[in-house]
Amino acid sequence: MFDINTVRAEFPILSRQINGQPLIYLDNGASAQKPQVVIDAVTRAYAEEYSNVHRGLHFLSNLATEKYEAVRGIVARFLNAGSEDEVIFNSGTTEGINMVSYGWAAPRMGAGDEIILSTMEHHANIVPWHFLRERQGVVLKWIDPEPDGSLDPSKVLDAITPRTKLIAVTQCSNVFGTVVDVKTICAGARARGVAVMVDGSQGAVHMPVDVQDIGCDFYAITGHKLYGPSGSGAIYVRADRQAEMQPFLGGGDMINEVCKDRVTYAEPPLKFEAGTPGIVQTIGLGAALDYLMDLGMENVAAHEASLAAYASERLTGLNWVNVQGTAPGKAAIFSFTMEGAAHAHDISTILDKKGIAVRAGHHCAKPLMEHLGVSATARASFGLYNTKDEVDRLIEGLELCHKLLA
């Protein structure tokens, strides 16, 4: 059973005060706080179990390798991958998407070939494709969201032409909170022989994920949003797509044999994991995903859906607040502007004085900001430990902002 008081007690930072006020942390879309079980796992890994992984024959190296490699199976269970060998470790979603860009897309795309993107993608799912546009003449095709912030799968699929090689799309917008029907997009794309890269940075945090059911070719996650350490992450790459990829990074661990005149590579997934990895970060990621699976992602989703409904109701009552993105079933992510001269940075600063942490800016989504006709928004993004009382505190803070800035 999901008990919010028990959950909150497991996150030490939630007991502290900011500016003499109890901390209300509503910046989870940028990075989430860590439960004690993750803090303990990281501390133990450094204090009692640390060594480099693989190749070592001594006790600590074997122990670290065992702990590190066990996380591959944890990620596979969390995403319901067909095999743990379809899980590639990295530093987070940005590295994962770049690996797909360099390792899969670059070798098979030339001038005039197309990648379809939504306008609400995070820069991490835009800039790597711009590299291909700049260097190889690849064409980027953009699909705008609907007025409520939803993304129409039929518009994405209708944009496919014989030159389309890839669709790169988020499962959940970090600005709107929109949940995208990636399953329908993947089914339609596969029928046309087009690969799909799903950015799961936000999606995997807020809902259960089954990559086999979704039918995607690539699905990237980042640890620090999943209540794990920064510098940790993974990408699911379906086995047949792995066979089409070349290594993104070269170095130790990803090789089979290195000679003066040739090199042969290890079998996937090690083929795509060069150098000493983020050992402790990855162990912490495993602890975070175990924690989430123990809670039950269905329970997390239900709790956050209740928060989202309540926050939407309260924010709607402020007729001087403009919430960006109101699609049904959205995650508990609310980006907004305020009528008058109030800038997002001013809103964030005033809320901070009340102990309320929100984000202000373009949220690494400048094409979407341009589409909306704004330079910045304030964003309150909720996590599994947030409460309806904290929604009320946010509303009180916004009323103060309006009083001071209107």
Side-chain angles (χ1 to χ4, degrees):
M1 181 177 178
F2 187 96
D3 180 76
I4 187 60
N5 292 323
T6 300
V7 168
R8 286 182 62 82
E10 293 166 341
F11 288 80
I13 201 169
L14 298 182
S15 64
R16 73 161 298 174
Q17 293 194 337
I18 302 293
N19 293 320
Q21 303 282 340
L23 170 64
I24 297 177
Y25 189 79
L26 303 180
D27 195 20
N28 298 284
S31 198
Q33 299 298 340
K34 319 306 173 192
Q36 189 66 51
V37 65
V38 171
I39 297 169
D40 289 345
V42 169
T43 300
R44 184 168 56 250
Y46 274 127
E48 302 175 18
E49 303 167 350
Y50 183 78
S51 179
N52 211 331
V53 294
H54 306 143
R55 301 186 304 279
L57 298 177
H58 58 83
F59 176 85
L60 283 178
S61 180
N62 289 333
L63 178 60
T65 299
E66 178 184 336
K67 292 290 187 75
Y68 173 82
E69 282 297 333
V71 179
R72 213 179 295 277
I74 295 171
V75 176
R77 290 196 302 276
F78 184 73
L79 299 178
N80 195 34
S83 166
E84 65 181 53
D85 289 340
E86 294 177 315
V87 173
I88 299 169
F89 292 142
N90 51 43
S91 62
T93 295
T94 298
E95 184 180 336
I97 295 175
N98 274 274
M99 186 191 73
V100 175
S101 175
Y102 280 98
W104 183 85
R108 57 184 24 80
M109 297 188 72
D113 287 335
E114 300 168 348
I115 298 173
I116 297 173
L117 307 168
S118 85
T119 304
M120 59 186 184
E121 298 308 311
H122 188 281
H123 293 169
N125 200 25
I126 295 176
V127 178
W129 315 121
H130 269 302
F131 288 169
L132 299 183
R133 179 192 60 78
E134 292 174 340
R135 300 167 189 176
Q136 299 179 210
V138 169
V139 175
L140 305 185
K141 299 177 70 174
W142 298 89
I143 308 300
D144 290 337
E146 301 302 302
D148 67 353
S150 61
L151 186 68
D152 186 345
S154 66
K155 291 185 177 180
V156 176
L157 297 174
D158 287 347
I160 294 174
T161 74
R163 298 300 301 271
T164 305
K165 297 294 192 294
L166 179 71
I167 296 171
V169 64
T170 185
Q171 187 181 25
C172 178
S173 166
N174 73 309
V175 175
F176 289 151
T178 299
V179 177
V180 177
D181 184 0
V182 289
K183 182 176 179 179
T184 295
I185 291 173
C186 289
R190 179 172 290 190
R192 295 164 174 81
V194 175
V196 180
M197 164 76 232
V198 177
D199 177 354
S201 289
Q202 298 291 341
V205 177
H206 300 294
M207 66 197 78
V209 172
D210 184 335
V211 291
Q212 295 186 76
D213 181 62
I214 292 171
C216 54
D217 300 272
F218 313 96
Y219 189 100
I221 62 172
T222 193
H224 69 95
K225 298 182 193 294
L226 285 160
Y227 308 95
S230 57
S232 68
I235 185 168
Y236 159 81
V237 179
R238 211 174 64 220
D240 58 336
R241 295 301 185 191
Q242 282 189 5
E244 298 171 349
M245 290 173 59
Q246 64 183 23
F248 166 40
L249 293 173
D253 236 23
M254 50 78 68
I255 50 83
N256 181 36
E257 184 179 20
V258 177
C259 303
K260 289 184 176 180
D261 59 350
R262 69 185 185 280
V263 59
T264 58
Y265 303 117
E267 292 298 312
L270 292 182
K271 179 179 180 179
F272 306 108
E273 298 175 358
T276 297
I279 300 164
V280 176
Q281 295 95 318
T282 300
I283 290 171
L285 172 62
L289 297 184
D290 272 340
Y291 174 78
L292 287 171
M293 287 188 285
D294 286 344
L295 285 178
M297 286 306 297
E298 298 85 357
N299 297 326
V300 172
H303 171 70
E304 292 187 2
S306 177
L307 279 179
Y310 185 65
S312 180
E313 176 187 347
R314 293 300 318 270
L315 287 166
T316 301
L318 306 180
N319 58 15
W320 32 266
V321 168
N322 179 31
V323 175
Q324 307 287 351
T326 57
K330 65 175 284 178
I333 298 173
F334 297 89
S335 295
F336 53 88
T337 55
M338 190 177 293
E339 291 181 0
H343 190 278
H345 293 168
D346 297 326
I347 295 170
S348 176
T349 300
I350 293 171
L351 291 176
D352 182 59
K353 297 299 183 184
K354 306 296 289 183
I356 304 169
V358 301
R359 187 140 298 247
H362 55 67
H363 315 297
C364 292
K366 293 197 76 171
L368 182 56
M369 295 293 113
E370 181 179 353
H371 173 75
L372 295 173
V374 299
S375 61
T377 68
R379 182 186 69 186
S381 49
F382 294 80
L384 60 85
Y385 40 62
N386 292 122
T387 67
K388 291 181 179 179
D389 286 342
E390 292 180 321
V391 173
D392 293 336
R393 286 280 306 280
L394 171 64
I395 298 302
E396 292 172 5
L398 292 177
E399 288 172 337
L400 176 61
C401 291
H402 184 241
K403 178 180 179 181
L404 295 175
L405 300 173

